[in-house]
Amino acid sequence: MSNIRHTPQAPTRAQALAAGERIDAHRHDDHQIIYAGSGVLAVATDAGTWFAPGTRAIWVPAGTVHAHRAHGHLDLHLIGLDAGDNPLGLDEPTVLAVSPLLRELILAYTRAPHDTGAERRRLLAVLRDQLRASPQQPIQLPAPTDLRLAAVCAILHDDPADPRTLAALGVATGAGERTLSRLFRSELGMTFPQWRTQARLYHALRMLADNTPVTTVAHRCGWSSTSAFIHVFRRAFGYTPGTHNRRLRGAGNQGLIPDPSP
């Protein structure tokens, strides 16, 4: 990432981002929790892209260079924590499950970012406890560095419905199946089928945020049927694409203020 902006303090606030709006690459000296009350949030780093619908939040450790992108109208909630305050003990970006209680705590805490009263301090203490109890979710697309692996990943990003096997993709990119299989495990920490499923889910979330019908999303992302897509989506996110769409449309603007700075 070039032109990296340094904002020492990670802000705590709520703001709205329009569909397609971006916050360019930057870093903080603090940790940050990023949550989208509506829409789908994508957070990109040099290591890959993390993505989160409304039941997930993204933990960004202090010093991590990252950029944001909104898919659909985004109700964005940001919480900054001092670099010495790491309730999760995590040193790399991580997607966290957001329970209904944690969601309400995040919304309440970002509503009055300048409040320094005792009630707000107690709210933060409960929020930190809930963060520690939040399961981590592997909703990430790691970024390849090997050129052969990057070529395969680029093909599937361009067309997530591409049905070719790893062997066939290897022929197209001049790499052997065994080599590519090893690279997926060593560089990206997952098998080729696992990475392809993650890529398809990422593109599915983007399409759903753009109001693309569920059947069309299933077809464009390479699932054999709409029911197969619904099954994989529910297993990954805990609810169906239809429920996801209702959440995207129903959250609405929760008193958020437009603010272009991260």
Side-chain angles (χ1 to χ4, degrees), residues 15 22 26 28 31-32 48 54 66 68 93 104 125 138 148 150 161 167 170 180 184 197 205 221 237 239:
Q15 70 181 82
R22 301 172 183 264
H26 60 283
H28 308 294
H31 306 300
Q32 192 171 51
H66 60 291
H68 308 175
E104 293 306 315
R148 296 162 295 180
L180 289 171
F184 267 103
T197 297
L205 286 172
C221 289
F237 300 115
Y239 50 82

Side-chain angles (χ1 to χ4, degrees), residues 197 200-208 212-237 239-242 244-245:
T197 297
R200 287 176 170 175
L201 285 170
Y202 172 59
H203 286 284
L205 286 172
R206 294 175 58 183
M207 292 179 193
L208 290 170
T212 307
V214 171
T215 300
T216 303
V217 172
H219 173 72
R220 290 183 183 174
C221 289
W223 274 281
S224 58
S225 65
T226 302
S227 60
F229 167 50
I230 291 171
H231 173 74
V232 173
F233 193 96
R234 190 196 327 244
R235 192 175 61 194
F237 300 115
Y239 50 82
T240 66
H244 174 74
N245 276 342

Side-chain angles (χ1 to χ4, degrees), residues 83-170:
D85 184 6
N86 188 340
L88 297 165
L90 297 171
D91 58 4
E92 61 183 20
T94 305
V95 175
L96 305 170
V98 175
S99 67
L101 174 57
L102 180 55
R103 169 188 163 84
E104 293 306 315
L105 289 167
I106 291 172
L107 297 184
Y109 192 75
T110 55
R111 231 172 251 135
H114 303 298
D115 183 2
T116 58
E119 182 178 347
R120 182 172 171 78
R121 291 195 296 272
R122 290 193 296 271
L123 183 63
L124 179 59
V126 178
L127 194 155
R128 293 173 80 257
D129 286 342
Q130 287 298 305
L131 281 174
R132 277 193 290 266
S134 296
Q136 298 176 30
Q137 301 285 339
I139 309 177
Q140 177 208 1
L141 275 181
T145 56
D146 185 280
L147 294 179
R148 296 162 295 180
L149 189 59
V152 170
C153 292
I155 289 172
L156 297 177
H157 271 307
D158 290 341
D159 180 12
D162 191 317
R164 283 179 286 180
T165 64
L166 187 57
L169 289 167

Side-chain angles (χ1 to χ4, degrees), residues 29 71-72 83 145 188 214 219 247 257:
D29 296 337
H71 298 289
T145 56
L188 307 184
V214 171
H219 173 72
R247 291 182 177 186
I257 54 173

